[in-house]
Amino acid sequence: MRHFRLWNVHNVAVVLSVTLYMCHIAGCISIHSAQRNLSRSVQEDAVFSVDVSSTGVPTIEWTFMSGAGSRSIGTWQPGGNINITADYSSRVRAYENGSMILMDLRLQDTGFYLLTVTEPAGSSKDVGFVLRVNEVLYEDLQYLSITGLALGVVAALLMLVTWLLHKACMKVKAWRLRKQMPGEL
């Protein structure tokens, strides 16, 4: 009886070599991100958390896109210079793993953020993020303060009415006691 082997050591070595070669040619860029849809309020910070890995030293580039057009945020290489554009220089913190923090959010920051990772060989990979910036409605704070004031006035009026009823009740009790005592005058 003959035993058939599907894979021998030589075949496995060939497949692994071809796979590694294809990864090297393709660049094997890997970008991992736990959250790609972000929702924050005005003046908060947005953390675009990613973990970039590649076979070489990649170039990391962030771009902002909205209905008004696209703007470069910054470009850098791990271990190299971080070049943040003038529009974002005071509000962006860049990290070697590709992550970025956009601080002091504005309503205009709502849009699509594109991370492009490019290897020296020229291969690249893109990942998109959506950021929605919500406005803090100060009208809500005014509504809450007016409601609190109105409830305070109602509570004060109820305490006043309770005090007046207590006084009236005491006077009625005193009047009944005087009425029940015979012959005093």
Side-chain angles (χ1 to χ4, degrees):
M1 181 175 344
R2 284 183 91 177
H3 293 282
F4 292 99
R5 284 190 181 179
L6 273 166
W7 295 92
N8 61 24
V9 174
H10 177 69
N11 289 343
V12 171
V14 168
V15 168
L16 284 176
S17 296
V18 169
T19 304
L20 288 172
Y21 178 72
M22 294 300 288
C23 280
H24 179 66
I25 288 176
C28 281
I29 298 171
S30 160
I31 304 172
H32 297 285
S33 176
Q35 187 177 14
R36 293 193 185 159
N37 290 316
L38 305 170
S39 183
R40 301 289 183 269
S41 295
V42 172
Q43 296 180 340
E44 288 185 345
D45 298 343
V47 178
F48 297 92
S49 180
V50 296
D51 188 21
V52 173
S53 62
S54 66
T55 55
V57 178
T59 299
I60 297 165
E61 180 180 7
W62 280 93
T63 306
F64 170 69
M65 296 181 197
S66 69
S70 67
R71 290 191 313 256
S72 176
I73 297 172
T75 305
W76 65 90
Q77 287 184 320
N81 290 336
I82 297 175
N83 300 314
I84 305 297
T85 60
D87 293 343
Y88 290 96
S89 62
S90 65
R91 300 192 313 127
V92 167
R93 187 176 304 139
Y95 295 92
E96 288 194 8
N97 68 349
S99 296
M100 173 183 74
I101 297 177
L102 181 58
M103 299 173 281
D104 192 27
L105 291 174
R106 304 168 185 157
L107 286 175
Q108 299 87 341
D109 292 326
T110 295
F112 187 73
Y113 289 79
L114 182 68
L115 168 63
T116 304
V117 178
T118 307
E119 286 196 326
S123 61
S124 66
K125 188 171 185 180
D126 298 322
V127 172
F129 292 81
V130 176
L131 174 64
R132 191 176 97 207
V133 180
N134 304 312
E135 185 175 12
V136 177
L137 298 177
Y138 293 104
E139 293 85 22
D140 290 346
L141 296 175
Q142 290 174 344
Y143 172 76
L144 287 174
S145 63
I146 290 172
T147 303
L149 181 65
L151 288 174
V153 168
V154 168
L157 287 174
L158 287 174
M159 288 190 301
L160 178 66
V161 167
T162 304
W163 180 75
L164 289 173
L165 286 174
H166 178 70
K167 285 287 187 185
C169 186
M170 296 306 282
K171 287 192 181 223
V172 167
K173 276 186 178 180
W175 178 73
R176 283 187 178 168
L177 276 175
R178 273 185 277 148
K179 201 174 176 188
Q180 286 178 354
M181 293 185 168
E184 279 186 39
L185 278 178

